[in-house]
């Protein structure tokens, strides 16, 4: 009798573990599958491509995770990314053309891009927390407003170009550069691609730690720490779990929600600025296509759309799954549209697994 | 009994066209257990939410321990020493016991001597001790509250209120979900608080409990205070008459 009940429990524990870690296993499964079937998939170059490709969705999804844990949603980041990239690129260009030192122009451009994102962030937070507009509506309104504003700033153009060559070189050396390179016959090289390599060497030079990945990783670490370990993170969960309880416990819920939407705009602005570094241009549309993927990454990562539940590590895995799928399907020469179908299925599975897991936790008492 | 530590003067509270509190006067002295009685919808919970800062009354003044607290935030009022057990418990059920007992007042420590992080171990230990005082055992303090029973959750809400060495504790039907032995424990707890000169406002529909522990009974009806009865004059019969409105106080 006793052994029977304890074996049932260990099955429960096993299932619970499985429910908790299935996204990790799924990601590993994908990687193994594509490595076995996709020529050129299992290479340093391809992995670093996947990581770089994931940064846009990843950065947007980081802020989105906080927002969704408070049981909100932020649609406006679709264009906050673009707004920051447009303002960042325009500022850098104008300052550089005005003769300012390139490094300083870049720094001021970064500052301007981040500051610009504060506006939609603050407006979203104000509308949600003080005016009590439902987050979906408030950020949908800002989605349109920021989109219009970004395009007005570019006179309707999709790209802010015209950056002087020396500025573009500097931006690209970071946006398309790596902290560590592996160069055939030489080995590891730090900070930048060595000059005058033979064409064959150049062809097989790989980026081991691309700068955009380092930036995204730092943002993940910092915000993962904030969410998981600090009082700010604890209050984020409390507000998502029971906003009334949070208010009565004395938490300043309005101010907290304001900070959450500012945070979301902030990680979106970093994505927008990375766009400037990678493509040496700004675009109002820089983040548009990644909005739904960012929400998908959050949900696949196990964050509950009703709030109160979720982790940043899950979101990271979700973003990596999406980037792996995109890349893998291209390599297998499968129509990229399949990506949408597969991601759709995983989202639904993620929600169902979440439910099963809750049921399992209850049974373990 | 000592000086009044809490004074509610002429407080009115409206919800749209509904008058939830109508010119309420109410006092609590040090070391006094005051029962707040009344039918469903009489305005008891609304009154205590005005005191704890959840609602801001439209009229009147609330004074606690020498401070005018009308319109203060819940945190300011907790800071002055009022802790409240709400009828709906007001717990974050997605968090564990320690997080709930310390909600809004998280204990922090420095990670690497630099970054302030929540000290979850400390909060869990302290919560366990607070629960032990209530003789309520929760199998795993790491459990989220959704997975606990109604009584266990109520115990968490009580533990949260008593943990902070409050100067006034408000209990809105604190025993509703508890078993008989646990109810006794809570009544004992209220007596202990009185011995320590800590006043308690107790809202309860259980006449026997009220007769057992209260020093004074205040009865509300339709948002008004209709009776204020010292324990020695109180009988269950009389209280029930006030509650249902068969008797009016002179
Ligand atoms: N947030 C609110 N919005 C609108 N009306 C409310 C609100 N809170 C309470 N009321 C109304 O105010 C009146 C008093 O409610 P209250 O909760 O204070 O009663 P109570 O005495 O605590 O009753 P019970 O014994 O059922 O808990 C009721 O008519 C109730 O419907
Ligand atoms: Mg009530």
């Amino acid at each position: 009798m006793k052994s029977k009940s304890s074996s049932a429990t260990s099955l429960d524990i096993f299932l619970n573990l499985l429910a908790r870690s299935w996204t990790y296993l799924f990601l590993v499964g994908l990687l193994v599958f594509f490595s076995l079937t996709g020529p050129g998939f299992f290479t340093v170059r391809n992995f670093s491509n996947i990581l770089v490709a994931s940064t846009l969705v990843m950065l947007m999804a980081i802020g989105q995770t906080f927002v969704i844990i408070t049981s909100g949603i932020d649609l406006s980041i679709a264009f906050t990314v673009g707004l920051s990239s447009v303002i960042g690129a325009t500022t850098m260009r104008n300052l550089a053309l005005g003769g300012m030192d390139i490094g300083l122009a870049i720094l001021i451009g970064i500052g301007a891009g981040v500051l610009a994102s504060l506006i939609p962030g603050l407006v979203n937070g104000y509308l949600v927390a003080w005016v009590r507009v439902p987050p979906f509506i408030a950020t949908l309104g800002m989605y349109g407003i920021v989109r219009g504003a970004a395009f007005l700033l570019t006179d309707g153009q999709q790209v802010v170009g015209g950056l002087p060559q020396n500025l573009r070189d500097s931006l690209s050396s970071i946006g398309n550069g790596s902290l560590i390179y592996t160069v055939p016959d030489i080995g590891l090289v730090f900070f930048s691609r060595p000059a005058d390599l033979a064409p064959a060497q150049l062809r097989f030079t790989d980026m081991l730690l691309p700068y955009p990945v380092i930036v995204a990783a730092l943002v993940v670490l910092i915000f993962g720490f904030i969410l998981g370990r600090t009082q700010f993170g604890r209050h984020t969960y409390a507000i998502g779990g029971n906003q009334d309880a949070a208010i009565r416990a004395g938490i300043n819920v309005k101010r907290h929600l304001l900070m959450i939407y500012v945070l979301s705009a902030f990680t979106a602005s970093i994505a927008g600025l990375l766009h400037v570094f990678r493509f040496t241009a700004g675009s109002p549309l820089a983040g548009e296509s990644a909005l739904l993927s960012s929400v998908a990454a959050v949900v696949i990562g196990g964050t509950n759309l009703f709030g109160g539940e979720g982790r940043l590590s899950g979101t990271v895995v979700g973003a990596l799954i999406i980037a792996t799928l995109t890349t893998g399907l291209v390599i297998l020469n499968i129509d990229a549209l399949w990506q949408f179908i597969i991601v759709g299925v995983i989202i639904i599975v993620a929600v169902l697994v979440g439910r099963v897991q809750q049921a399992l936790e209850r049974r373990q008492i | 009994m000592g000086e009044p530590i809490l004074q509610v003067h002429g407080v009115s509270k409206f919800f749209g066209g509904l008058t939830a509190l109508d010119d309420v006067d109410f006092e609590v002295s040090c070391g006094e257990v005051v029962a707040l009685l009344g039918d469903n919808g009489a305005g008891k919970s609304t009154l205590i939410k005005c005191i704890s800062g959840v609602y801001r009354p439209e009229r009147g003044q609330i004074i606690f321990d020498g401070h005018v607290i009308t319109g203060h935030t819940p945190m300011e009022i907790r800071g002055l020493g009022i802790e409240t057990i709400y009828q709906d418990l007001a717990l974050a059920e997605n968090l564990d016991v320690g997080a709930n007992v310390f909600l809004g007042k998280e204990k922090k420590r420095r990670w690497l001597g630099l970054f302030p992080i929540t000290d979850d171990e400390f909060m869990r230990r302290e919560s366990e001790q607070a629960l032990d005082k209530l003789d309520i055992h929760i199998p795993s303090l790491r459990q989220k509250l959704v997975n606990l029973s109604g009584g266990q959750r109520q115990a968490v809400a009580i533990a949260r209120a008593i943990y902070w060495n409050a100067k006034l504790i408000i209990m809105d039907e604190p025993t509703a979900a508890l078993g008989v032995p646990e109810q006794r424990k809570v009544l004992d707890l209220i007596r202990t608080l009185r011995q320590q000169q800590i006043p308690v406002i107790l809202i309860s529909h259980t006449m026997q409990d009220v007769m057992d522990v209260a020093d004074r009974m205040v009865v509300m009806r339709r948002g008004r205070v209709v009776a204020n009865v010292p324990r020695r004059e109180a009988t269950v019969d009389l209280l029930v008459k006030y509650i249902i409105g068969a008797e009016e106080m002179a």
Side-chain angles (χ1 to χ4, degrees), chain B residues 19-35:
Chain B
T19 305
L21 295 178
D22 184 4
D23 197 20
V24 168
D25 289 319
F26 179 71
E27 270 189 13
V28 178
S29 298
C30 287
E32 188 184 33
V33 177
V34 180

Side-chain angles (χ1 to χ4, degrees), chain A residues 225 228-231 234-235 237-238 240-242 244-251 307-309 358 361-362 364-365, chain B residues 54 74-75 78 86 88 90-91 94-95 99 103-104 106 108-109 111 115-118 120 123 143-144 146-147:
Chain A
F225 176 82
R229 306 292 299 275
T230 68
Q231 188 179 40
R234 176 64 46 80
H235 290 179
Y237 285 104
N242 186 345
D244 240 18
I247 291 170
R248 293 192 217 165
I251 296 170
E309 212 92 29
Q358 278 175 5
E361 268 182 27
R362 268 170 180 282
Q364 268 177 39
I365 307 294
Chain B
V54 175
M75 186 55 100
R78 288 188 79 191
Y86 291 98
D88 62 6
L91 299 166
N94 58 328
L95 298 177
L103 194 60
E106 286 78 8
K108 283 172 276 184
R109 66 185 170 88
W111 183 64
F115 307 102
I117 61 173
T118 54
D120 297 337
M123 295 194 271
Q143 276 298 330
K144 293 174 189 160
V146 249
N147 300 325

Side-chain angles (χ1 to χ4, degrees), chain B residues 45 87 172-173:
Chain B
S45 296
Q87 192 167 9
D172 196 346
E173 303 194 30

Side-chain angles (χ1 to χ4, degrees), chain A residues 87-110 112 164 167:
Chain A
I87 291 201
T90 313
T91 308
M92 291 176 198
R93 180 189 64 195
N94 293 350
L95 292 178
L97 288 176
M100 185 182 275
D101 172 71
I102 296 293
L104 193 58
I106 291 178
L107 278 181
I108 295 178
I110 292 175
L167 173 59

